[in-house]
Amino acid sequence: DQRNAHLKVSVGPDAHIYYIDESIMSSNATNSTNSSTAAAVGNALWQKQTKINAELFALTYGAMVGELIRDLEKSDKIQEELDRMGHSIGVRCIEEFLAKSMSVEMNNNTQQAAAASFLKAQTFVDTASIVKASFKMFLGVTAESNLKSDTSYTITMVDNPLQIFVELPPDRAESLEYSQLLCGMIRGMLEMLQYDVSCQMIQSQLKGQETNEILVDLKQVLQEGAGDDYHDE
């Protein structure tokens, strides 16, 4: 039966027969391998990056958001500008990340081959590993991903370097997404990989939630060169 081509029969300790979908097992194994490879690549690149003081970085970002609040006033306009800025940063970051990743030196030949394979990002799901490695390289944070479907995943960070020393005023606590820049950054990176996505912060520690989580949804696969217009930003 063609429908059962990927099913494997297994007899459990209770003598019951179980059918295991090997295609799902293979997908999970690939995601696990990509995740560990992303961490290794991200760590290797992070070690070579020029570092800046985390407190200075956070304060500089805070000053920029404060200026946007004074200039634009409305939270939706502020978030649009942060997203636009993040998009512009993201398209540049992914080019640097891919260029440097091609020459990164891993601990052994097996890791080197895995790194080369993971960087090809053949599917949308594969891009989660590249986002995580990029966040490690440029922000120094360890992120985790959770696959929701073939067209959706989340990126979770326990630590958000943008939010150090930040406490939102009551009139902005619900309406302003302070870290919208990260959503724009992901949009920009994935656009250069030919994926048009929507990104939304669905959890934020600034709003009293346990972690920082970004939902990434695929809208469409772009044609070759669709992201070239970023040079005009």
Side-chain angles (χ1 to χ4, degrees):
D1 189 341
Q2 188 174 5
R3 291 174 301 175
N4 296 328
H6 297 290
L7 291 182
K8 176 181 178 181
V9 177
S10 176
V11 180
D14 53 3
H16 289 166
I17 295 176
Y18 297 91
Y19 294 89
I20 304 171
D21 190 333
E22 288 188 305
S23 64
I24 294 177
M25 293 174 63
S26 176
S27 176
N28 289 342
T30 299
N31 290 339
S32 178
T33 299
N34 282 347
S35 181
S36 60
T37 302
V41 171
N43 283 328
L45 293 173
W46 168 248
Q47 296 300 322
K48 295 183 178 181
Q49 283 288 90
T50 301
K51 311 295 191 301
I52 66 170
N53 183 276
E55 295 180 359
L56 176 61
F57 176 68
L59 291 171
T60 301
Y61 180 74
M64 181 189 71
V65 174
E67 184 174 348
L68 289 177
I69 290 175
R70 289 189 294 273
D71 292 344
L72 302 177
E73 296 184 355
K74 294 184 178 180
S75 293
D76 58 342
K77 297 296 184 182
I78 297 167
Q79 286 187 201
E80 286 179 10
E81 182 63 15
L82 288 174
D83 193 87
R84 187 197 68 78
M85 294 170 66
H87 178 276
S88 183
I89 292 170
V91 292
R92 288 161 175 80
C93 283
I94 193 62
E95 289 189 340
E96 181 178 348
F97 169 77
L98 292 175
K100 291 185 175 180
S101 297
M102 295 299 180
S103 59
V104 66
E105 294 182 5
M106 307 301 287
N107 293 332
N108 54 57
N109 291 337
T110 301
Q111 287 188 349
Q112 199 75 46
S117 177
F118 129 85
L119 288 170
K120 294 179 181 178
Q122 296 296 326
T123 68
F124 171 71
V125 172
D126 295 332
T127 64
S129 295
I130 288 183
V131 169
K132 291 187 293 184
S134 299
F135 272 29
K136 182 64 178 180
M137 176 182 177
F138 294 106
L139 300 175
V141 298
T142 300
E144 298 294 336
S145 62
N146 181 29
L147 182 62
K148 299 291 186 181
S149 69
D150 289 342
T151 59
S152 180
Y153 59 79
T154 60
I155 298 294
T156 304
M157 302 172 294
V158 175
D159 300 313
N160 183 345
L162 301 182
Q163 296 179 175
I164 302 176
F165 309 126
V166 175
E167 182 176 342
L168 293 177
D171 61 329
R172 299 284 183 179
E174 293 300 324
S175 61
L176 177 63
E177 197 54 71
Y178 184 81
S179 298
Q180 186 67 29
L181 183 103
L182 298 179
C183 294
M185 185 176 172
I186 293 175
R187 273 201 320 110
M189 288 192 292
L190 297 195
E191 183 176 299
M192 297 305 290
L193 297 176
Q194 311 308 322
Y195 295 105
D196 180 21
V197 302
S198 63
C199 295
Q200 177 186 2
M201 291 287 298
I202 57 176
Q203 285 198 76
S204 173
Q205 290 171 329
L206 282 182
K207 297 184 177 181
Q209 294 159 323
E210 292 184 359
T211 189
N212 306 286
E213 188 173 20
I214 301 173
L215 176 64
V216 183
D217 284 318
L218 175 64
K219 295 165 63 177
Q220 63 176 328
V221 178
L222 300 172
Q223 295 180 350
E224 188 70 26
D228 290 345
D229 60 355
Y230 82 90
H231 292 291
D232 297 330
E233 294 188 10

